[in-house]
Coordinates of all heavy atoms in Angstrom, one line a residue:
M1 N 89.6 68.6 61.3 CA 89.9 69.5 62.4 C 91.3 69.3 62.9 O 91.9 70.2 63.3 CB 88.8 69.4 63.4 CG 89.1 70.2 64.7 SD 87.7 70.1 65.8 CE 88.3 71.2 67.1
G2 N 91.7 68.0 63.0 CA 93.0 67.7 63.5 C 93.0 67.3 65.0 O 94.0 67.1 65.6
A3 N 91.8 67.2 65.6 CA 91.6 66.9 67.0 C 90.7 65.7 67.2 O 90.2 65.5 68.3 CB 91.2 68.1 67.8
E4 N 90.4 65.0 66.1 CA 89.5 63.8 66.2 C 90.0 62.9 67.3 O 91.2 62.6 67.4 CB 89.4 63.1 64.9 CG 88.8 63.9 63.8 CD 89.8 64.8 63.1 OE1 91.0 64.8 63.4 OE2 89.4 65.6 62.3
N5 N 89.0 62.3 68.0 CA 89.3 61.4 69.1 C 90.1 61.9 70.3 O 90.6 61.1 71.1 CB 89.9 60.1 68.6 CG 89.1 59.4 67.5 OD1 87.9 59.3 67.7 ND2 89.7 59.1 66.4
E6 N 90.2 63.2 70.4 CA 90.9 63.8 71.5 C 89.9 64.4 72.5 O 88.7 64.6 72.2 CB 91.8 65.0 71.0 CG 92.9 64.5 70.1 CD 93.9 63.7 70.8 OE1 94.0 63.7 72.0 OE2 94.7 63.0 70.0
N7 N 90.3 64.6 73.7 CA 89.4 65.2 74.8 C 89.4 66.7 74.7 O 90.5 67.3 74.5 CB 89.9 64.8 76.2 CG 89.6 63.3 76.5 OD1 88.7 62.7 75.9 ND2 90.3 62.8 77.4
I8 N 88.3 67.2 74.9 CA 88.1 68.7 75.0 C 87.4 68.9 76.4 O 86.6 68.1 76.8 CB 87.3 69.3 73.9 CG1 87.4 70.8 73.9 CG2 85.9 68.7 73.8 CD1 87.0 71.5 72.6
R9 N 87.9 69.9 77.2 CA 87.4 70.1 78.5 C 86.9 71.5 78.7 O 87.5 72.4 78.2 CB 88.5 69.8 79.5 CG 89.0 68.4 79.5 CD 90.1 68.1 80.6 NE 91.1 69.1 80.7 CZ 91.5 69.7 81.8 NH1 91.0 69.4 82.9 NH2 92.5 70.6 81.7
I10 N 86.0 71.6 79.6 CA 85.6 72.9 80.2 C 86.0 72.9 81.6 O 85.6 72.0 82.4 CB 84.0 73.2 80.0 CG1 83.6 73.1 78.6 CG2 83.7 74.5 80.7 CD1 84.0 74.2 77.7
V11 N 86.8 73.9 82.0 CA 87.2 74.0 83.4 C 86.8 75.4 84.0 O 86.6 76.3 83.2 CB 88.7 73.8 83.5 CG1 89.2 72.4 83.0 CG2 89.5 74.9 82.8
K12 N 86.7 75.4 85.3 CA 86.5 76.7 86.0 C 87.4 76.7 87.2 O 87.9 75.7 87.7 CB 85.0 76.9 86.3 CG 84.5 76.1 87.4 CD 83.1 76.5 87.8 CE 82.7 76.0 89.1 NZ 81.5 76.6 89.6
Y13 N 87.6 77.9 87.7 CA 88.4 78.1 88.9 C 87.6 77.7 90.1 O 86.5 78.1 90.2 CB 89.0 79.5 89.0 CG 89.9 79.9 87.9 CD1 89.7 81.0 87.1 CD2 91.1 79.1 87.7 CE1 90.6 81.3 86.1 CE2 92.0 79.5 86.7 CZ 91.7 80.6 85.9 OH 92.6 80.9 84.9
K14 N 88.2 77.0 91.1 CA 87.5 76.6 92.3 C 87.3 77.9 93.1 O 86.3 78.1 93.8 CB 88.3 75.6 93.1 CG 88.3 74.2 92.5 CD 89.0 73.2 93.4 CE 88.8 71.9 92.9 NZ 89.3 70.8 93.8
D15 N 88.3 78.8 93.1 CA 88.2 80.1 93.8 C 89.2 81.1 93.1 O 90.0 80.7 92.3 CB 88.5 80.0 95.3 CG 89.9 79.4 95.5 OD1 90.9 80.1 95.1 OD2 90.1 78.3 96.1
Q16 N 89.0 82.3 93.4 CA 89.8 83.4 92.8 C 91.1 83.7 93.6 O 91.8 84.7 93.3 CB 89.0 84.7 92.7 CG 87.8 84.5 91.7 CD 88.2 84.2 90.3 OE1 89.1 84.9 89.8 NE2 87.6 83.2 89.7
I17 N 91.4 82.9 94.5 CA 92.7 83.0 95.3 C 93.7 82.0 94.8 O 94.8 82.4 94.4 CB 92.4 82.9 96.8 CG1 91.5 84.0 97.3 CG2 93.7 82.9 97.6 CD1 91.0 83.9 98.7
S18 N 93.4 80.8 94.8 CA 94.4 79.7 94.5 C 94.4 79.5 93.0 O 95.4 79.0 92.4 CB 94.0 78.4 95.2 OG 92.8 77.9 94.6
Y19 N 93.3 79.8 92.3 CA 93.2 79.6 90.8 C 93.3 78.1 90.5 O 93.8 77.8 89.4 CB 94.1 80.4 90.0 CG 93.7 81.9 89.9 CD1 94.3 82.8 90.7 CD2 92.7 82.3 89.1 CE1 93.9 84.2 90.7 CE2 92.2 83.6 89.1 CZ 92.9 84.5 89.9 OH 92.4 85.8 89.9
L20 N 93.0 77.2 91.4 CA 93.0 75.8 91.1 C 91.8 75.5 90.2 O 90.7 76.0 90.4 CB 92.8 75.0 92.4 CG 94.0 75.0 93.3 CD1 93.7 74.3 94.6 CD2 95.2 74.4 92.7
E21 N 92.1 74.7 89.1 CA 91.0 74.5 88.2 C 90.3 73.2 88.5 O 90.9 72.2 89.0 CB 91.6 74.4 86.8 CG 92.2 75.6 86.2 CD 92.8 75.5 84.9 OE1 93.0 74.4 84.4 OE2 93.1 76.5 84.3
E22 N 89.0 73.1 88.2 CA 88.3 71.9 88.2 C 87.6 71.7 86.9 O 87.0 72.6 86.3 CB 87.3 71.9 89.4 CG 86.2 72.9 89.3 CD 85.2 72.8 90.5 OE1 84.9 71.7 91.0 OE2 84.7 73.9 90.9
T23 N 87.6 70.5 86.4 CA 86.9 70.1 85.2 C 85.4 70.0 85.5 O 85.0 69.2 86.3 CB 87.4 68.8 84.6 OG1 88.8 69.0 84.3 CG2 86.7 68.4 83.3
I24 N 84.6 70.8 84.7 CA 83.1 70.7 84.9 C 82.5 70.0 83.7 O 81.3 69.6 83.8 CB 82.5 72.0 85.1 CG1 82.8 73.0 84.0 CG2 83.0 72.6 86.5 CD1 82.0 74.3 84.1
G25 N 83.2 69.8 82.6 CA 82.6 69.1 81.5 C 83.8 68.6 80.6 O 84.8 69.2 80.5
E26 N 83.6 67.4 80.0 CA 84.6 66.8 79.2 C 83.9 65.9 78.1 O 82.9 65.3 78.4 CB 85.5 65.9 80.1 CG 86.7 65.4 79.3 CD 87.7 64.8 80.3 OE1 87.5 64.6 81.5 OE2 88.8 64.4 79.8
A27 N 84.5 65.9 76.9 CA 83.9 65.2 75.8 C 85.1 64.7 74.9 O 86.1 65.3 74.9 CB 82.9 66.0 75.1
V28 N 84.8 63.7 74.1 CA 85.7 63.3 73.1 C 85.2 63.8 71.7 O 84.0 63.7 71.4 CB 85.8 61.8 73.0 CG1 86.7 61.3 71.9 CG2 86.3 61.2 74.4
I29 N 86.1 64.4 71.0 CA 85.7 64.9 69.6 C 85.6 63.8 68.7 O 86.5 62.9 68.6 CB 86.8 65.9 69.2 CG1 86.9 67.1 70.2 CG2 86.5 66.4 67.8 CD1 88.1 68.0 70.0
D30 N 84.5 63.8 67.9 CA 84.2 62.6 67.0 C 85.0 62.8 65.7 O 85.8 63.7 65.5 CB 82.8 62.4 66.8 CG 82.1 63.5 65.9 OD1 82.8 64.3 65.3 OD2 80.8 63.6 66.0
S31 N 84.8 61.8 64.8 CA 85.6 61.8 63.6 C 85.4 62.9 62.6 O 86.1 63.2 61.7 CB 85.4 60.4 62.8 OG 84.0 60.4 62.5
I32 N 84.2 63.6 62.8 CA 84.0 64.8 61.9 C 84.2 66.1 62.7 O 83.8 67.2 62.2 CB 82.6 64.7 61.2 CG1 81.5 64.7 62.3 CG2 82.5 63.6 60.3 CD1 80.1 64.8 61.7
G33 N 84.8 66.0 63.9 CA 85.2 67.2 64.6 C 84.1 67.8 65.5 O 84.1 69.0 65.9
R34 N 83.1 67.0 65.9 CA 82.0 67.5 66.7 C 82.1 66.9 68.1 O 82.6 65.8 68.3 CB 80.6 67.2 66.1 CG 80.4 67.9 64.8 CD 79.1 67.6 64.2 NE 79.0 68.3 62.9 CZ 78.0 69.0 62.5 NH1 77.0 69.2 63.4 NH2 78.0 69.6 61.4
F35 N 81.5 67.6 69.0 CA 81.4 67.1 70.4 C 80.2 67.7 71.1 O 79.7 68.7 70.6 CB 82.7 67.4 71.2 CG 82.9 68.9 71.5 CD1 82.4 69.4 72.6 CD2 83.6 69.7 70.6 CE1 82.6 70.8 72.9 CE2 83.8 71.0 70.8 CZ 83.3 71.6 72.0
S36 N 79.7 67.1 72.1 CA 78.6 67.6 72.9 C 78.9 67.3 74.4 O 79.4 66.3 74.7 CB 77.3 66.9 72.5 OG 76.2 67.4 73.2
M37 N 78.5 68.2 75.2 CA 78.7 68.0 76.7 C 77.6 68.8 77.4 O 77.1 69.8 76.9 CB 80.1 68.3 77.2 CG 80.4 69.8 77.2 SD 82.1 70.1 77.9 CE 83.2 69.7 76.6
S38 N 77.3 68.3 78.6 CA 76.4 69.1 79.5 C 76.9 68.9 80.9 O 77.6 67.9 81.2 CB 75.0 68.5 79.4 OG 74.9 67.2 79.8
F39 N 76.6 69.9 81.7 CA 77.0 69.9 83.1 C 76.2 70.8 83.9 O 75.5 71.7 83.3 CB 78.5 70.3 83.2 CG 78.9 71.5 82.4 CD1 78.7 72.8 82.8 CD2 79.4 71.3 81.1 CE1 79.1 73.9 82.0 CE2 79.8 72.3 80.3 CZ 79.6 73.6 80.8
Q40 N 76.2 70.7 85.2 CA 75.4 71.5 86.1 C 76.2 72.7 86.5 O 77.4 72.7 86.8 CB 75.1 70.7 87.4 CG 74.0 71.3 88.2 CD 72.7 71.2 87.6 OE1 72.4 70.5 86.6 NE2 71.8 72.0 88.1
L41 N 75.6 73.9 86.5 CA 76.2 75.2 86.8 C 75.2 76.0 87.6 O 74.1 76.2 87.2 CB 76.6 75.9 85.6 CG 77.6 77.0 85.7 CD1 78.9 76.5 86.2 CD2 77.8 77.7 84.3
D42 N 75.6 76.5 88.8 CA 74.7 77.2 89.7 C 74.7 78.7 89.4 O 73.7 79.4 89.8 CB 75.1 77.0 91.2 CG 74.9 75.5 91.5 OD1 74.0 74.8 91.0 OD2 75.7 75.0 92.4
E43 N 75.7 79.2 88.9 CA 75.8 80.7 88.7 C 76.6 81.0 87.4 O 77.4 80.1 87.0 CB 76.4 81.4 89.9 CG 77.8 80.9 90.2 CD 78.4 81.5 91.5 OE1 77.6 82.1 92.2 OE2 79.5 81.2 91.8
T44 N 76.5 82.2 86.9 CA 77.3 82.6 85.8 C 78.8 82.5 86.2 O 79.2 83.0 87.2 CB 77.0 84.0 85.3 OG1 75.6 84.1 84.9 CG2 77.9 84.5 84.2
S45 N 79.6 81.9 85.4 CA 81.0 81.6 85.7 C 81.9 81.8 84.6 O 81.6 81.6 83.4 CB 81.1 80.1 86.2 OG 80.3 79.8 87.3
Y46 N 83.1 82.3 84.9 CA 84.2 82.3 84.0 C 84.8 80.9 83.8 O 85.1 80.3 84.8 CB 85.3 83.3 84.4 CG 86.4 83.4 83.5 CD1 86.3 84.1 82.3 CD2 87.6 82.7 83.7 CE1 87.4 84.2 81.4 CE2 88.7 82.8 82.8 CZ 88.5 83.6 81.6 OH 89.6 83.6 80.7
T47 N 84.8 80.4 82.6 CA 85.4 79.1 82.3 C 86.4 79.2 81.2 O 86.6 80.2 80.6 CB 84.2 78.2 81.9 OG1 83.7 78.7 80.7 CG2 83.2 78.0 83.0
K48 N 87.1 78.1 81.1 CA 88.1 77.9 80.0 C 87.8 76.7 79.2 O 87.4 75.6 79.8 CB 89.5 77.9 80.5 CG 89.9 79.2 81.1 CD 91.4 79.3 81.3 CE 92.0 78.2 82.1 NZ 93.4 78.3 82.4
I49 N 87.9 76.7 77.9 CA 87.8 75.5 77.1 C 89.2 75.1 76.8 O 90.1 75.9 76.3 CB 87.0 75.8 75.8 CG1 86.7 74.5 75.0 CG2 87.6 76.9 74.9 CD1 85.7 74.7 73.9
N50 N 89.6 73.9 77.1 CA 90.9 73.4 76.9 C 90.9 72.3 75.8 O 90.2 71.4 75.9 CB 91.5 72.7 78.2 CG 91.7 73.8 79.3 OD1 91.8 75.0 79.0 ND2 92.0 73.3 80.5
L51 N 91.9 72.5 74.9 CA 92.1 71.5 73.8 C 93.6 71.4 73.6 O 94.2 72.3 73.1 CB 91.4 71.9 72.5 CG 91.6 71.0 71.3 CD1 91.1 69.5 71.6 CD2 90.8 71.5 70.1
G52 N 94.1 70.2 74.0 CA 95.6 70.1 73.8 C 96.3 71.1 74.7 O 95.9 71.3 75.9
F53 N 97.2 71.8 74.1 CA 98.0 72.9 74.9 C 97.3 74.2 74.8 O 97.9 75.2 75.3 CB 99.4 73.0 74.3 CG 100.3 71.8 74.6 CD1 100.6 70.9 73.6 CD2 100.7 71.5 75.9 CE1 101.4 69.8 73.9 CE2 101.4 70.4 76.2 CZ 101.8 69.5 75.1
H54 N 96.2 74.3 74.1 CA 95.5 75.6 73.9 C 94.3 75.8 74.7 O 93.6 74.8 75.0 CB 95.2 75.8 72.4 CG 96.4 75.7 71.6 ND1 97.2 76.8 71.2 CD2 97.1 74.7 71.0 CE1 98.2 76.5 70.5 NE2 98.2 75.2 70.3
N55 N 94.0 77.0 75.1 CA 92.7 77.3 75.8 C 92.3 78.7 75.6 O 93.0 79.5 75.1 CB 93.0 77.0 77.3 CG 94.0 78.0 77.9 OD1 93.7 79.2 78.1 ND2 95.1 77.5 78.3
A56 N 91.0 78.9 75.9 CA 90.4 80.2 75.8 C 89.3 80.4 76.8 O 88.6 79.4 77.1 CB 89.8 80.5 74.4
G57 N 89.2 81.6 77.4 CA 88.2 81.8 78.4 C 87.0 82.4 77.9 O 87.0 83.2 76.9
F58 N 85.9 82.1 78.6 CA 84.6 82.8 78.3 C 83.6 82.6 79.5 O 83.8 81.7 80.3 CB 84.0 82.3 77.0 CG 83.6 80.8 76.9 CD1 82.3 80.4 77.0 CD2 84.6 79.8 76.8 CE1 81.9 79.1 76.9 CE2 84.2 78.5 76.8 CZ 82.9 78.1 76.8
Y59 N 82.6 83.4 79.5 CA 81.6 83.3 80.6 C 80.4 82.4 80.1 O 80.0 82.5 78.9 CB 81.1 84.6 81.0 CG 82.1 85.4 81.8 CD1 83.0 86.3 81.2 CD2 82.1 85.3 83.2 CE1 83.9 87.0 82.0 CE2 83.0 86.0 84.0 CZ 83.9 86.8 83.4 OH 84.8 87.5 84.1
I60 N 79.9 81.6 81.0 CA 78.8 80.8 80.7 C 77.7 81.0 81.8 O 78.1 81.3 82.9 CB 79.1 79.3 80.4 CG1 79.8 78.7 81.7 CG2 79.9 79.1 79.2 CD1 80.0 77.2 81.5
E61 N 76.5 80.8 81.4 CA 75.4 81.0 82.3 C 74.7 79.6 82.6 O 74.6 78.8 81.7 CB 74.3 81.9 81.7 CG 74.9 83.3 81.4 CD 73.9 84.2 80.8 OE1 73.0 83.7 80.0 OE2 73.9 85.4 81.0
P62 N 74.0 79.5 83.8 CA 73.3 78.3 84.0 C 72.1 78.1 83.0 O 71.6 79.1 82.5 CB 72.6 78.6 85.4 CG 73.5 79.6 86.0 CD 74.0 80.4 84.9
D63 N 71.9 76.9 82.6 CA 70.9 76.6 81.6 C 71.2 77.2 80.2 O 70.3 77.2 79.4 CB 69.5 77.1 82.1 CG 69.1 76.4 83.4 OD1 69.4 75.2 83.5 OD2 68.5 77.1 84.2
G64 N 72.4 77.6 80.0 CA 72.8 78.1 78.7 C 73.1 77.0 77.7 O 73.5 75.9 78.1
I65 N 72.8 77.2 76.5 CA 73.1 76.3 75.4 C 74.0 77.0 74.4 O 73.6 78.1 73.9 CB 71.9 75.7 74.7 CG1 71.0 75.0 75.7 CG2 72.2 74.9 73.5 CD1 69.7 74.5 75.2
Y66 N 75.2 76.5 74.2 CA 76.2 77.2 73.4 C 76.6 76.3 72.2 O 76.9 75.1 72.4 CB 77.4 77.6 74.2 CG 77.1 78.5 75.4 CD1 76.7 77.9 76.6 CD2 77.0 79.9 75.3 CE1 76.4 78.7 77.7 CE2 76.7 80.7 76.3 CZ 76.4 80.1 77.5 OH 76.0 80.9 78.6
E67 N 76.7 76.9 71.1 CA 77.3 76.2 69.9 C 78.6 76.9 69.6 O 78.7 78.1 69.4 CB 76.4 76.3 68.7 CG 76.9 75.5 67.5 CD 75.9 75.4 66.4 OE1 74.8 75.8 66.6 OE2 76.4 75.0 65.3
I68 N 79.7 76.2 69.8 CA 81.1 76.7 69.7 C 81.7 76.2 68.4 O 81.7 75.0 68.1 CB 81.9 76.3 70.9 CG1 81.3 76.9 72.2 CG2 83.3 76.8 70.8 CD1 81.9 76.5 73.5
F69 N 82.3 77.1 67.7 CA 83.1 76.7 66.4 C 84.6 76.9 66.7 O 85.0 78.0 67.1 CB 82.6 77.6 65.3 CG 83.4 77.4 64.0 CD1 83.4 76.2 63.3 CD2 84.3 78.3 63.6 CE1 84.1 76.0 62.2 CE2 85.1 78.2 62.5 CZ 85.0 77.0 61.8
I70 N 85.3 75.9 66.5 CA 86.8 76.0 66.6 C 87.4 75.7 65.2 O 87.1 74.6 64.6 CB 87.4 75.0 67.6 CG1 86.7 75.2 69.0 CG2 88.9 75.0 67.6 CD1 87.0 74.2 70.0
P71 N 88.1 76.6 64.6 CA 88.6 76.4 63.2 C 89.5 75.1 63.2 O 90.1 74.8 64.1 CB 89.4 77.6 62.9 CG 88.9 78.7 63.9 CD 88.5 77.9 65.1
A72 N 89.5 74.5 62.0 CA 90.3 73.3 61.8 C 91.8 73.6 62.0 O 92.3 74.7 61.9 CB 90.1 72.8 60.4
D73 N 92.5 72.6 62.4 CA 93.9 72.7 62.7 C 94.7 71.6 61.9 O 95.1 70.6 62.5 CB 94.2 72.5 64.2 CG 95.6 72.5 64.6 OD1 96.4 73.2 64.0 OD2 96.0 71.7 65.5
P74 N 94.8 71.8 60.6 CA 95.5 70.7 59.8 C 96.9 70.4 60.2 O 97.4 69.4 59.9 CB 95.3 71.2 58.4 CG 95.2 72.7 58.5 CD 94.5 72.9 59.8
E75 N 97.6 71.4 60.8 CA 99.0 71.2 61.2 C 99.2 70.5 62.5 O 100.3 70.1 62.9 CB 99.7 72.5 61.2 CG 99.7 73.3 59.9 CD 100.3 74.7 60.0 OE1 100.7 75.0 61.1 OE2 100.2 75.4 59.0
G76 N 98.1 70.2 63.2 CA 98.2 69.5 64.5 C 98.8 70.3 65.6 O 99.3 69.8 66.6
S77 N 98.7 71.6 65.6 CA 99.3 72.5 66.6 C 98.6 72.5 67.9 O 99.1 73.0 68.9 CB 99.5 73.9 66.1 OG 98.3 74.5 65.9
F78 N 97.3 71.9 68.0 CA 96.6 71.8 69.2 C 97.4 71.0 70.2 O 97.4 71.2 71.4 CB 95.3 71.1 69.1 CG 94.2 71.9 68.3 CD1 93.3 71.3 67.5 CD2 94.1 73.3 68.5 CE1 92.4 72.0 66.8 CE2 93.1 74.0 67.8 CZ 92.3 73.4 67.0
F79 N 98.2 70.1 69.7 CA 98.9 69.1 70.6 C 100.4 69.3 70.6 O 101.1 68.4 71.1 CB 98.5 67.7 70.2 CG 97.0 67.6 70.3 CD1 96.2 67.7 69.2 CD2 96.4 67.4 71.5 CE1 94.9 67.6 69.2 CE2 95.0 67.4 71.6 CZ 94.2 67.5 70.5
R80 N 100.9 70.4 70.1 CA 102.3 70.8 70.2 C 102.3 72.3 70.4 O 101.4 73.0 69.9 CB 103.1 70.3 69.1 CG 102.8 70.9 67.8 CD 103.7 70.4 66.6 NE 103.1 70.8 65.3 CZ 103.0 72.0 64.9 NH1 103.5 73.0 65.5 NH2 102.5 72.2 63.7
L81 N 103.3 72.8 71.1 CA 103.3 74.2 71.3 C 104.8 74.6 71.3 O 105.6 74.1 72.1 CB 102.7 74.6 72.6 CG 102.6 76.0 73.0 CD1 101.7 76.8 72.0 CD2 102.0 76.2 74.4
N82 N 105.1 75.6 70.4 CA 106.4 76.2 70.4 C 106.2 77.6 71.0 O 105.7 78.5 70.3 CB 107.0 76.2 69.0 CG 108.3 76.9 68.9 OD1 108.7 77.6 69.8 ND2 109.1 76.6 67.9
P83 N 106.6 77.8 72.2 CA 106.4 79.1 72.9 C 106.9 80.3 72.1 O 106.5 81.4 72.2 CB 107.0 79.0 74.2 CG 107.4 77.6 74.4 CD 107.4 76.9 73.1
T84 N 107.9 80.1 71.3 CA 108.5 81.2 70.5 C 107.5 81.7 69.4 O 107.4 82.8 69.1 CB 109.8 80.8 69.8 OG1 110.7 80.3 70.9 CG2 110.5 81.9 69.1
Y85 N 106.8 80.7 68.8 CA 106.0 81.1 67.6 C 104.5 80.9 67.9 O 103.7 81.6 67.2 CB 106.4 80.2 66.5 CG 107.8 80.2 66.1 CD1 108.7 79.2 66.3 CD2 108.3 81.4 65.5 CE1 110.0 79.3 66.0 CE2 109.6 81.5 65.1 CZ 110.5 80.4 65.4 OH 111.8 80.5 65.1
D86 N 104.1 80.0 68.7 CA 102.7 79.7 68.9 C 102.1 80.3 70.1 O 102.7 80.4 71.1 CB 102.5 78.1 69.0 CG 103.0 77.4 67.8 OD1 102.9 77.9 66.7 OD2 103.5 76.2 68.0
S87 N 100.8 80.7 70.0 CA 100.1 81.3 71.1 C 99.3 80.1 71.7 O 98.7 79.3 71.0 CB 99.1 82.3 70.6 OG 98.2 82.6 71.6
P88 N 99.3 80.1 73.1 CA 98.4 79.1 73.7 C 96.9 79.4 73.6 O 96.1 78.6 74.1 CB 98.9 79.1 75.1 CG 99.4 80.5 75.3 CD 100.0 80.9 74.0
Y89 N 96.6 80.5 73.0 CA 95.2 80.9 72.9 C 94.5 80.1 71.9 O 94.9 79.9 70.8 CB 95.1 82.4 72.6 CG 93.6 82.9 72.5 CD1 92.9 83.1 73.6 CD2 93.0 83.0 71.3 CE1 91.6 83.5 73.6 CE2 91.7 83.4 71.2 CZ 91.0 83.6 72.3 OH 89.7 84.0 72.3
L90 N 93.3 79.5 72.3 CA 92.5 78.7 71.4 C 91.6 79.6 70.6 O 90.8 80.3 71.3 CB 91.7 77.6 72.1 CG 90.8 76.7 71.3 CD1 91.7 75.9 70.4 CD2 90.0 75.9 72.2
N91 N 91.7 79.7 69.3 CA 90.8 80.5 68.5 C 89.4 79.8 68.4 O 89.3 78.7 68.0 CB 91.4 80.7 67.1 CG 91.0 81.9 66.5 OD1 90.3 82.7 67.0 ND2 91.3 82.0 65.2
F92 N 88.4 80.5 68.9 CA 87.0 79.9 68.8 C 86.0 81.0 68.6 O 86.3 82.2 68.8 CB 86.7 79.1 70.0 CG 86.3 79.9 71.2 CD1 85.0 79.9 71.6 CD2 87.2 80.5 72.0 CE1 84.6 80.7 72.7 CE2 86.9 81.3 73.1 CZ 85.6 81.3 73.5
E93 N 84.8 80.6 68.2 CA 83.7 81.5 68.1 C 82.4 80.9 68.6 O 82.1 79.7 68.4 CB 83.5 81.8 66.6 CG 82.4 82.7 66.2 CD 82.2 82.9 64.7 OE1 83.1 82.5 64.0 OE2 81.2 83.5 64.3
I94 N 81.6 81.7 69.4 CA 80.3 81.2 69.8 C 79.3 81.6 68.8 O 79.1 82.8 68.5 CB 80.0 81.8 71.2 CG1 81.0 81.4 72.3 CG2 78.5 81.4 71.6 CD1 80.8 82.0 73.6
I95 N 78.7 80.6 68.1 CA 77.8 80.8 67.0 C 76.5 81.3 67.5 O 75.9 82.2 67.0 CB 77.7 79.5 66.1 CG1 79.1 79.2 65.5 CG2 76.7 79.7 65.1 CD1 79.2 77.9 64.8
N96 N 76.0 80.6 68.5 CA 74.7 81.0 69.1 C 74.7 80.7 70.6 O 75.4 79.8 71.0 CB 73.5 80.5 68.4 CG 73.4 79.0 68.4 OD1 74.0 78.3 69.3 ND2 72.8 78.4 67.5
S97 N 73.9 81.4 71.4 CA 73.8 81.1 72.8 C 72.4 81.5 73.3 O 71.7 82.1 72.6 CB 74.9 81.8 73.6 OG 74.8 83.2 73.4

């Protein structure tokens, strides 16, 4: 994957005025590119998954279980970003929920 032993985070906005982010879940990606996390959520919320310089937003529901697939990054671009060429958008797919 190219992100082994790195942190991956789920963040949400504290409010829709300041857009300050708070981390609600964090995990370390293992040697085969897998991670697991759980956290408490009271209502359906817009969240972002952050990996290195890249992120992507999605909605999650309380008591939801999600399997997320992030394509491999053999070039290591998760942790470097050239704004001229690279998008900060993290490509991912929700396999089941």
Side-chain angles (χ1 to χ4, degrees):
M1 178 175 179
E4 297 82 6
N5 302 313
E6 297 292 342
N7 285 339
I8 190 163
R9 300 183 309 132
I10 302 289
V11 299
K12 73 174 196 165
Y13 295 123
K14 287 186 175 187
D15 60 63
Q16 296 296 312
I17 297 172
S18 68
Y19 287 102
L20 292 174
E21 294 180 348
E22 66 177 324
T23 299
I24 60 172
E26 187 169 8
V28 176
I29 299 170
D30 70 17
S31 62
I32 58 171
R34 294 180 183 232
F35 67 93
S36 177
M37 69 175 77
S38 63
F39 44 86
Q40 194 68 17
L41 196 62
D42 297 327
E43 61 188 6
T44 299
S45 300
Y46 179 77
T47 61
K48 293 193 304 183
I49 187 167
N50 290 348
L51 177 59
F53 292 109
H54 300 271
N55 64 69
F58 64 106
Y59 286 90
I60 57 176
E61 298 176 330
D63 301 320
I65 297 174
Y66 302 90
E67 186 174 346
I68 297 172
F69 172 73
I70 301 171
D73 176 36
E75 298 173 5
S77 66
F78 290 143
F79 303 98
R80 63 176 166 71
L81 183 65
N82 181 337
T84 305
Y85 303 108
D86 298 329
S87 167
Y89 181 76
L90 180 65
N91 204 7
F92 80 103
E93 178 182 349
I94 296 176
I95 297 172
N96 62 24
S97 60

